[in-house]
Amino acid sequence: MRAERASRPRRPVVDLTDEQARRALPLKWGTVPKDVIPAWVAEMDYAVDPVVMEAVQRALADGVTGYPLEHDPALGEAYAGWAGRHFGWAPDPEAVRAVVDVTAGVRVAIEVLSGPGGVVFPTPGYNAQHGLAGITGRAEHLLELPASATTAEIDLDRLDALLAGGAQTLLLTQPHNPWGRAFTRTELEGIRDVVVRHGARVVSDEIHAPLVLPGAEHVSYLAIEGTHDHAVAVVAASKAFNIAGLRCAQLVVPDPQARKALDAEPMARNDSWSPLGVVAARAAYDHGDPWLASLVERLDEQRTLLQELLSTHLPEVRMRPLEATYLAWLDASALGHDDAAAVALERGRVMVSDGASYAPGSTGHVRLNIATSPERLTRIVERLALAWT
Ligand SMILES: Cc1ncc(COP(=O)(O)O)c(C=O)c1O
């Protein structure tokens, strides 16, 4: 797949200027003072793929501002086509359901399909999903990755113990934010074996799947044999194509009984997605490959640049290899700042995400977003070095 990609047509990634980024990304750029470089929330400082933008503009010109279809077969076809081309595995298009966003999809899947037992949540874990188990009325069981671990892996013995203790769902993030891991087929098979032993369920958040970098591959949990009766995947074009604000993600539900249960949910759930999100997702899945190829190439270059910058300016900072995503998990604890993010902001004028929001109780860790220009990334690391050392 990767070799084929190299010879495919490309559409270039275009960097936003500071002014453009302030207009385009009000949360990431608009909430920080002008002298601060934002490298926090997971949005990219790149212009949206023109093919996706044109599709949305066309839809708006046509007045597509009403309710979306409840079930849009074209969306399932588009996702299945995409998954087959990129991951070598595709669901039945009929298994795909629209949801407003990935986090809502995770919540709905747990509420409707899971037993009342607790939810296992590997940490450090995506901060907006801490507490999600509680919203569904279930206990949250953290499966902690020790800070000293040289490779980030799900601890199967601990998973086994938590499921034996009454937890009934694993919230898997594949690839993982902020571990930067793309779990291998063998690892996923190990997880499946433990889950099946306890009759538990898996919700696999695969929003970062398009962002697997050279050297790793994305394997959907649903591509593992013997998973369809107990798992759903939650997917989206939103992270890779910078279109989260258009509001459409997808649940992949291979089990017909589970689909029936979800389809029977009352309208009052009111999690409806946007028709413009459907248009954008379909355009990305059907026509976004040339742009995504350039994006992955750029992120690969940014990851190499980050390693070089860290070894030059911040050799004390530890980082595990980044296999996927544009979000680097940095252990700066050797530099002695409990709240390294606050120091970065105060002294360095760089906004990174506080590690404690991903791993409660942790100190000295931050998450750094590298989806920007090489020049900005260079300034970011230089500023972090000035702030922390
Ligand atoms: C693992 C993971 N899931 C979900 C999301 C957010 O997706 P959504 O806005 O569709 O809920 C993110 C955002 O970065 C994420 O990292």
Side-chain angles (χ1 to χ4, degrees):
M1 190 71 219
R2 301 276 172 207
E4 275 171 42
R5 264 190 194 173
S7 57
R8 289 225 185 112
R10 299 291 166 98
R11 261 194 312 281
V13 165
V14 175
D15 290 283
L16 297 173
T17 64
D18 290 11
E19 276 315 309
Q20 288 169 332
R22 270 184 209 110
R23 281 199 301 273
L25 305 168
L27 178 64
K28 183 180 185 187
W29 278 78
T31 54
V32 300
K34 277 199 168 175
D35 66 329
V36 169
I37 310 179
W40 61 295
V41 63
E43 298 187 298
M44 304 184 288
D45 299 340
Y46 309 135
V48 171
D49 179 2
V51 164
V52 175
M53 191 56 97
E54 279 158 24
V56 174
Q57 282 169 337
R58 221 169 23 246
L60 265 181
D62 287 345
V64 180
T65 55
Y67 295 118
L69 282 179
E70 271 182 48
H71 181 53
D72 187 344
L75 182 62
E77 295 285 349
Y79 179 72
W82 156 275
R85 285 195 313 282
H86 287 265
F87 312 138
W89 176 85
D92 178 349
E94 189 38 47
V96 178
R97 294 286 180 279
V99 282
V100 61
D101 62 25
V102 166
T103 304
V106 170
R107 176 175 53 72
V108 149
I110 294 173
E111 280 175 347
V112 177
L113 304 175
S114 287
V119 177
V120 178
F121 187 52
T123 63
Y126 173 46
N127 50 5
Q129 289 174 358
H130 277 281
L132 189 147
I135 288 169
T136 72
R138 291 162 176 82
E140 182 174 74
H141 303 280
L142 302 185
L143 196 167
E144 284 125 353
L145 177 70
S148 58
T150 44
T151 47
E153 288 168 0
I154 302 274
D155 179 339
L156 295 183
D157 291 336
R158 176 111 175 95
L159 176 62
D160 191 59
L162 290 169
L163 296 178
Q168 289 185 301
T169 302
L170 167 65
L171 174 42
L172 182 68
T173 308
Q174 159 66 343
H176 200 278
N177 163 27
W179 298 9
R181 281 295 320 283
F183 298 116
T184 63
R185 186 171 285 278
T186 308
E187 286 176 285
L188 296 173
E189 285 168 352
I191 292 168
R192 173 208 57 198
D193 291 346
V194 176
V195 166
V196 167
R197 191 155 60 238
H198 294 283
R201 292 195 62 87
V202 172
V203 178
S204 185
D205 174 344
E206 302 187 0
I207 192 172
H208 292 284
L211 298 173
V212 171
L213 302 177
E217 64 167 340
H218 173 66
V219 181
S220 172
Y221 184 74
L222 297 178
I224 303 296
E225 205 182 320
T227 55
H228 288 192
D229 59 349
H230 68 261
V232 300
V234 198
V235 301
S238 58
K239 199 60 34 188
F241 286 86
N242 240 12
I243 50 173
L246 291 173
R247 319 307 284 147
C248 177
Q250 299 88 47
L251 265 173
V252 183
V253 190
D255 175 25
Q257 284 305 104
R259 282 207 293 278
K260 223 166 142 188
L262 285 162
D263 290 347
E265 280 300 293
M267 288 279 278
R269 185 177 279 291
N270 197 18
D271 281 337
S272 189
W273 50 98
S274 158
L276 295 176
V278 177
V279 166
R282 285 182 54 195
Y285 289 142
D286 287 339
H287 307 295
D289 291 4
W291 188 84
L292 184 71
S294 302
L295 175 69
V296 167
E297 203 170 81
R298 165 65 80 87
L299 296 180
D300 187 21
E301 289 162 8
Q302 291 293 92
R303 127 178 113 163
T304 304
L305 177 61
L306 175 64
Q307 277 154 2
E308 288 165 8
L309 290 166
L310 288 178
S311 64
T312 306
H313 300 288
L314 281 167
E316 307 86 346
V317 168
R318 285 181 55 240
M319 187 190 139
R320 297 188 198 94
L322 193 63
E323 297 172 344
T325 81
Y326 49 79
L327 306 163
W329 181 247
L330 302 185
D331 175 357
S333 52
L335 296 165
H337 306 291
D338 283 351
D339 190 344
V343 176
L345 182 60
E346 251 169 63
R347 295 201 207 149
R349 310 309 284 156
V350 174
M351 177 94 151
V352 288
S353 302
D354 175 14
S357 69
Y358 300 82
S362 70
T363 55
H365 287 71
V366 302
R367 194 192 72 169
L368 170 68
N369 179 341
I370 64 168
T372 191
S373 64
E375 295 73 25
R376 278 198 204 99
L377 183 58
T378 305
R379 274 189 286 140
I380 286 168
V381 178
E382 287 170 356
R383 286 184 182 202
L384 290 178
L386 278 176
W388 285 344
T389 57

